[in-house]
Amino acid sequence: MTGPLRIAHVGSVATSIPPDKSGSVELMTSLLTEGLVARGHDVTLFATGTSKTTARLHAIYPRGYWEDTSMWPWELCEMFNLAAAVERAAAFDIIHFEAAYYPMALAFSRLSQTPIVQTLHHSPSADEIALWSQYPEAPFVAISREQARLLSGLNVVATVLHGIDTGAFTFREQPEDYLLFLGRFTDGKGVLQAIDAAKRAGLRLILAAAEDEYYHAKVAPLVDGRQIVYAGEVDHAGKVALLGGARALVYPVQSGEPFGLVLAEAMACGTPVAALDRGAVREVVEDGVTGLVFSTLDDLVAGLPRVFALDRALVHAAAVQRFGVVRMVDGYIDAYRRVVGTHGARTGRSGS
Amino acid sequence: MTGPLRIAHVGSVATSIPPDKSGSVELMTSLLTEGLVARGHDVTLFATGTSKTTARLHAIYPRGYWEDTSMWPWELCEMFNLAAAVERAAAFDIIHFEAAYYPMALAFSRLSQTPIVQTLHHSPSADEIALWSQYPEAPFVAISREQARLLSGLNVVATVLHGIDTGAFTFREQPEDYLLFLGRFTDGKGVLQAIDAAKRAGLRLILAAAEDEYYHAKVAPLVDGRQIVYAGEVDHAGKVALLGGARALVYPVQSGEPFGLVLAEAMACGTPVAALDRGAVREVVEDGVTGLVFSTLDDLVAGLPRVFALDRALVHAAAVQRFGVVRMVDGYIDAYRRVVGTHGARTGRSGS
């Protein structure tokens, strides 16, 4: 089939799509939905009533379980939202489940007359893969080759890097004089390494993330308000301002992440990144163009001048080209058509 | 249909069915499965490979997630186990899901060609009922009238009190001279009230339950080893010995529970109970025959001599009659036939 697809896009029901505040999964879900509609597909978004979309909205909950603590356990809410789509499977060519936490759609995959494809938003462990391998035929879209590698043994039909709304990130030719760390305060994100790097380089570092226990226990004692500055949690406008003003985004990530949205967002502002080589970093950062990827923190500290020397206009242009929504939407449409075709061939259905 | 039923009995995959140690839900699941097989029904038990049953065993996991921490999250394991039954729905007349934690089978109920009936093992909150009411037609079996009342607005097709293996609880005509508290150490179970009652009555009290934080914080300081004695966590033989030797089981429960298996177990040993009037207590205790039900702790303390005066042989006989497995099995068979009949009428299927 080559015409418009009838797509059930099942988002999380934690909060609205797109989210009011933070929620990168919910933001990506929204970008994909709107992009699919813009390309003429017939999209039904299964999400909370607070969601805003040009697709048809199917909402079994007025709001999300982040806002309404009576909606408990959250797993059941996500299950009911997914079930609402599967119960209407005949109306769709494909069901796309954005598994924010785990791929519960596997349990529904053999009960649906319409194929269900899933996107994961974390790096699965070997134990998880062993568990999920009860359903080796169920299709996944990976968000990086790194995640696809971890999904080994499962049916990865495509790898589609996330897109961002590049127009929402203002290009800044001339930065101010600071490094930026933007992300949750965890060991995995490497905030302590970022502080260490800034101190050793004798540079100013701004930290932006929500205040939490980790912040109070481990980060706050290192914040002096002069060289190491804490800016709190920022909204979108604040994020764009901080990203654009940074000489570089410092990303000394310690655990392997399947993507790294903040890398693409920094680049879209023209800001190069100084990153450690973990997880999907090499797939998101074009080494030598949009940033530099280092093996060790020592190398990163020593390499900062070379990061600053990268051409911010080229960083911006590369980000727009690689992380535009259109490319992501194209990737998903290809993946959908592949899954629908395979499913039609397997079941003898025409697929439309 | 009146002949044998083809039953998929979906147990929890937390541990084996029956459980090696504690696990009242798993024990009840086993008793029902074996009882159904004994009555000539064609039963497939969906449970761990460690389970022991005369039914056909369908095991997608060699052992349970209480034993194997790599099986995470547990919700997904339970979902896959349930899905394994629903994927084979055509082979069954009825699927019975023993929802140990929450009724996830609701999400599968409209995707299954065979009706799914669920047993809950807790007292649902009003918030839970509001959430579950997305599926007002999905059939439940309540384990007490009290639980049926809480399930208001949902489709409760029958109320079937739990059965116990009465033969496994030895009748003791002559008890020793102590009261017994047997249950988890929580505010809801009323262990502190049990200690208070024993002290005020000047009687010895034995406490039996697993040592935990609550025990160390609140119970241990009250244990003197003479009047208030802690016996630790006991296995089945230890439980039977402690129950049979008690003059009375003290059950000053504070939160409403949907059943109270230990009440039936005490009675089966001939031991009367002194209970507070909460939840399903009045349905399990035959007031004036197998125990006495009090409104307040003061009344309970004052009423202990009357509890001791109850005829232990009559207590035992009443327990055997009311909580035998056969009665429970009959109740479930009736419920299954009702659900199958309704489903057949609704879908135009013959139901067999």
Side-chain angles (χ1 to χ4, degrees):
Chain A
M1 61 189 306
T2 54
L5 289 163
R6 298 172 305 160
I7 302 164
H9 195 191
V10 183
S12 154
V13 286
T15 186
S16 62
I17 307 282
D20 285 338
K21 296 175 193 164
S22 48
S24 59
V25 172
E26 290 74 16
L27 187 59
M28 177 267 168
T29 302
S30 174
L31 290 172
L32 178 55
T33 289
E34 302 313 309
L36 290 167
V37 171
R39 298 288 281 278
H41 295 285
D42 181 9
V43 185
T44 303
L45 177 66
F46 289 79
T48 63
T50 45
S51 299
K52 289 182 182 62
T53 180
T54 57
R56 192 180 300 107
L57 178 64
H58 187 102
I60 61 172
Y61 300 116
R63 56 200 176 135
Y65 53 80
W66 285 352
E67 287 104 30
D68 180 354
T69 55
S70 81
M71 295 169 63
W72 182 91
W74 65 262
E75 291 92 343
L76 201 60
C77 301
E78 298 286 12
M79 247 188 273
F80 285 2
N81 189 49
L82 170 58
V86 182
E87 289 161 10
R88 290 158 183 81
F92 304 111
D93 300 309
I94 185 106
I95 296 171
H96 179 192
F97 181 64
E98 294 274 353
Y101 306 96
Y102 55 83
M104 58 173 69
L106 291 175
F108 294 81
S109 60
R110 293 176 190 162
L111 306 173
S112 176
Q113 64 180 100
T114 296
I116 309 178
V117 66
Q118 300 184 74
T119 304
L120 284 179
H121 293 273
H122 72 283
S123 293
S125 68
D127 285 344
E128 285 180 299
I129 297 300
L131 188 60
W132 306 348
S133 65
Q134 296 264 359
Y135 293 90
E137 81 286 4
F140 282 91
V141 172
I143 63 173
S144 60
R145 289 193 306 273
E146 168 67 9
Q147 194 197 48
R149 184 182 66 78
L150 297 173
L151 286 165
S152 159
L154 302 183
N155 180 20
V156 178
V157 294
T159 296
V160 183
L161 297 181
H162 283 338
I164 61 172
D165 182 4
T166 53
F169 293 87
T170 316
F171 171 58
R172 279 270 294 273
E173 177 108 44
Q174 198 55 51
E176 299 169 37
D177 197 22
Y178 63 85
L179 300 172
L180 179 67
F181 173 91
L182 198 150
R184 278 174 294 118
F185 292 132
T186 63
D187 284 334
K189 294 281 187 186
V191 59
L192 301 181
Q193 285 77 8
I195 293 171
D196 186 31
K199 285 186 166 173
R200 287 159 61 183
L203 293 168
R204 200 159 159 252
L205 174 71
I206 296 181
L207 311 167
E211 208 172 318
D212 56 11
E213 276 183 43
Y214 187 99
Y215 173 78
H216 289 290
K218 302 198 170 179
V219 180
L222 304 171
V223 170
D224 60 16
R226 291 186 309 275
Q227 188 180 5
I228 310 298
V229 178
Y230 176 48
E233 188 181 16
V234 290
D235 60 9
H236 181 77
K239 180 159 85 170
V240 172
L242 279 178
L243 284 170
R247 291 187 72 178
L249 180 83
V250 191
Y251 195 76
V253 67
Q254 301 293 303
S255 60
E257 303 239 338
F259 195 71
L261 217 46
V262 69
L263 300 171
E265 293 173 342
M267 297 169 195
C269 297
T271 302
V273 306
L276 285 186
D277 189 7
R278 302 277 187 287
V281 162
R282 281 200 177 274
E283 297 175 63
V284 183
V285 180
E286 216 172 323
D287 197 14
V289 179
T290 57
L292 291 176
V293 182
F294 303 97
S295 299
T296 68
L297 197 67
D298 288 345
D299 292 347
L300 187 151
V301 171
L304 282 172
R306 285 186 290 131
V307 176
F308 301 156
L310 292 171
D311 183 330
R312 294 180 68 98
L314 287 183
V315 171
H316 169 72
V320 169
Q321 193 207 332
R322 297 197 64 211
F323 300 106
V325 170
V326 169
R327 190 226 6 101
M328 173 174 74
V329 172
D330 282 347
Y332 274 98
I333 293 170
D334 282 353
Y336 295 162
R337 291 201 194 283
R338 202 169 312 158
V339 170
V340 170
T342 309
H343 187 80
R346 187 159 56 85
T347 62
R349 290 200 188 104
S350 72
S352 83
Chain B
M1 61 188 305
T2 53
L5 289 162
R6 297 172 304 159
I7 302 164
H9 195 191
V10 183
S12 156
V13 286
T15 187
S16 62
I17 307 282
D20 285 337
K21 297 174 193 163
S22 49
S24 59
V25 171
E26 290 74 16
L27 188 59
M28 177 267 167
T29 301
S30 174
L31 290 172
L32 178 55
T33 289
E34 302 313 309
L36 291 166
V37 171
R39 298 289 281 278
H41 295 284
D42 180 9
V43 184
T44 303
L45 177 66
F46 289 79
T48 63
T50 46
S51 299
K52 289 180 182 63
T53 180
T54 57
R56 191 181 300 108
L57 179 64
H58 187 104
I60 60 172
Y61 301 115
R63 56 200 175 135
Y65 54 81
W66 285 352
E67 287 104 30
D68 181 354
T69 55
S70 81
M71 296 170 62
W72 179 92
W74 64 261
E75 291 93 342
L76 202 60
C77 301
E78 298 286 12
M79 247 188 274
F80 285 1
N81 189 48
L82 170 58
V86 181
E87 289 162 9
R88 290 156 182 82
F92 305 111
D93 300 309
I94 184 109
I95 297 171
H96 180 191
F97 180 64
E98 294 272 355
Y101 305 98
Y102 56 82
M104 57 173 69
L106 291 175
F108 294 81
S109 61
R110 292 175 189 162
L111 306 173
S112 175
Q113 65 181 99
T114 296
I116 309 176
V117 66
Q118 300 183 76
T119 303
L120 284 179
H121 294 274
H122 72 283
S123 294
S125 69
D127 284 344
E128 286 180 298
I129 298 299
L131 188 60
W132 305 349
S133 66
Q134 297 263 358
Y135 291 89
E137 80 285 5
F140 283 91
V141 171
I143 63 172
S144 61
R145 290 193 307 274
E146 169 65 10
Q147 194 197 48
R149 184 182 68 77
L150 296 174
L151 286 164
S152 158
L154 301 183
N155 181 19
V156 178
V157 294
T159 297
V160 184
L161 297 182
H162 282 339
I164 61 171
D165 181 4
T166 53
F169 293 87
T170 316
F171 172 57
R172 279 272 294 274
E173 176 107 44
Q174 199 55 49
E176 299 169 36
D177 197 22
Y178 63 85
L179 300 172
L180 179 67
F181 173 90
L182 198 150
R184 278 175 293 119
F185 291 132
T186 63
D187 284 333
K189 294 282 186 188
V191 59
L192 301 181
Q193 285 77 9
I195 293 171
D196 187 31
K199 286 186 167 175
R200 285 158 63 184
L203 293 167
R204 199 158 160 254
L205 174 71
I206 297 180
L207 310 168
E211 208 173 319
D212 56 10
E213 276 184 42
Y214 187 100
Y215 174 78
H216 289 290
K218 302 198 172 179
V219 179
L222 305 172
V223 170
D224 59 16
R226 291 185 309 275
Q227 188 179 5
I228 310 298
V229 177
Y230 176 49
E233 188 181 15
V234 290
D235 61 8
H236 181 77
K239 181 159 87 168
V240 171
L242 279 179
L243 283 170
R247 292 188 72 179
L249 180 84
V250 192
Y251 195 76
V253 66
Q254 301 293 302
S255 60
E257 303 239 339
F259 194 71
L261 217 46
V262 70
L263 300 171
E265 293 173 343
M267 296 169 196
C269 297
T271 301
V273 306
L276 285 185
D277 188 7
R278 302 276 187 286
V281 162
R282 281 199 176 275
E283 297 175 63
V284 183
V285 180
E286 217 171 324
D287 197 12
V289 178
T290 57
L292 292 176
V293 182
F294 302 98
S295 299
T296 68
L297 197 68
D298 287 345
D299 292 349
L300 187 151
V301 172
L304 281 173
R306 286 187 289 131
V307 175
F308 301 156
L310 292 171
D311 183 330
R312 292 179 69 97
L314 287 182
V315 171
H316 169 71
V320 170
Q321 193 206 332
R322 296 197 65 211
F323 299 107
V325 171
V326 170
R327 191 226 4 102
M328 173 174 74
V329 173
D330 282 346
Y332 274 98
I333 294 171
D334 282 354
Y336 295 162
R337 292 203 193 280
R338 202 170 312 160
V339 170
V340 171
T342 309
H343 187 79
R346 188 158 57 84
T347 61
R349 290 201 187 100
S350 74
S352 84

